[in-house]
Structure formats: structure tokens, C-alpha cells
Amino acid sequence: DAGITQSPRHKVTETGTPVTLRCHQTENHRYMYWYRQDPGHGLRLIHYSYGVKDTDKGEVSDGYSVSRSKTEDFLLTLESATSSQTSVYFCASTSSGSSTDTQYFGPGTRLTVL
Amino acid sequence: QQQVKQSPQSLIVQKGGISIINCAYENTAFDYFPWYQQFPGKGPALLIAIRPDVSEKKEGRFTISFNKSAKQFSLHIMDSQPGDSATYFCAASRGGATNKLIFGTGTLLAVQP
């Protein structure tokens, strides 16, 4: 798993509350990614980071924000959780932006928004 | 808009049989095509990958066939085993400095003993 951990692993929250998911990697990888996985959609990129304090949007970024203050940590925040954000969230990291570099995934966080 | 289309959605194969999963893409700027394997409760993990200048790549029982003109690629699992039961995702990456992956919708493979 290339030393990627995610916390919490499971979370239940209520609509309208803010939620922060944490990704921590010990590989000194420069690039980090947040995906959501939903049945029938595969994995979709939410946001990614190409360095400390450098982030950009993915294809499903609405309602999400990210921050990266240290190389090893990448935080995903749901500013005001909605039921449509119920999903399994995966973090990934890779050493460079080359398309041939393997992305290593964390174990996922299952989020339920009631 | 699904840039990478994957089929079938689910697949049941007998032990020892061949599992075949197909993917098609639209964007000719894609330059790398990995396959990821995911077991229940785990994150996806890279299984095998191919570049578009190669028509086939084999690693053990797993083979990718790539047809650039048809914009299609497929994963073949030979001598399928119950331990291969997992969800498989094809993906595509576009050249550049961000390594953003576009995933297919996934195929749930069940290999029956």
C-alpha cells in the first residue's frame, strides 16, 4: 500500500455538517489525489495536489475543498455534507506527474451522510 | 460523459477458464492504460499497464491486448482462479505533468471453484 493511511475509516454524519478526511503518506510522494468511488461510476477524481500548497480541481470537485500544508498530508473537506456525498473516498499518491508512474491507493474511507 | 467505457459490469467464470474484460476510450491523447484490481474493503492496486505503442503485454496469467486503431483494450486472465475474484478497473492517463487517471466503471469478477 506504499505507506498510505486514511482516517477515519468509517464515518456517519448528518446533512449540513462539515467533514474532513485525512490522507497520510510516508513515501515522500509529491503528487496526491482524492477520488470517490460509487457504483456504476468507478473512481472519479475530486481534487489533486502537485506539491505543498499546490492543488487543482478534478472532475467532481463541487462541494469539496482540499489542503496540503505538508508533503505527507492531504486533507479533503466537505464544507456542508449532502446525501449525494455518501460514498467511499480513496486517497492516492505517486512520486511524479508522469503518466507511467504508479498511483498507490489508501484503504479508503466510507462516508455516510444522513 | 464517460471517457473510458468498460464492459461487462459483472462476469462469472469457472475455475481454469479465461476472463475477458473490455474497455474503449475516445481521447487519442491518452498515453498510458493501467488496469487496477480491487478486493473488497481494500484500495485499488495496479495489476498491469500498457503503452499505446505496444499491442500486447503479458505478466504471468494476465495479458493486456491493445488495439490503437479501434481505441480499445482488454484484460485477459488465463487459468482464472478463485483468488482472482475482485473488481477490475481499466483506466487511462493523458500525457502531461499531472498523471490524472480516468477510470472505467469497473467489472466485478467471480471465479467459481
Side-chain angles (χ1 to χ4, degrees), chain B residues 74-113:
Chain B
S74 60
L75 176 70
H76 292 65
I77 306 174
M78 311 301 288
D79 187 26
S80 298
Q81 299 297 311
D84 298 329
S85 298
T87 300
Y88 292 81
F89 293 95
C90 61
S93 178
R94 189 165 55 198
T98 61
N99 195 2
K100 291 190 289 185
L101 289 173
I102 307 296
F103 283 88
T105 51
T107 297
L108 178 60
L109 171 65
V111 181
Q112 295 185 336

Side-chain angles (χ1 to χ4, degrees), chain A residues 89-106:
Chain A
Y89 291 86
F90 288 98
C91 172
S93 73
T94 188
S95 57
S96 82
S98 170
S99 56
T100 58
D101 273 350
T102 300
Q103 285 193 24
Y104 296 93
F105 284 78

Side-chain angles (χ1 to χ4, degrees), chain A residues 9-37:
Chain A
R9 295 292 315 277
H10 302 271
K11 186 171 182 65
V12 179
T13 191
E14 294 190 350
T15 299
T17 61
V19 176
T20 296
L21 308 183
R22 179 178 183 248
C23 177
H24 179 79
Q25 53 102 355
T26 59
E27 302 298 316
N28 199 35
H29 284 167
R30 179 181 172 190
Y31 286 75
M32 297 185 75
Y33 308 81
W34 277 107
Y35 294 89
R36 61 177 290 174
Q37 183 176 7

Side-chain angles (χ1 to χ4, degrees), chain B residues 5-20:
Chain B
K5 296 183 179 180
Q6 183 172 346
S7 63
Q9 192 172 24
S10 62
L11 181 61
I12 299 174
V13 174
Q14 296 297 314
K15 179 182 176 181
I18 302 174
S19 304
I20 301 174

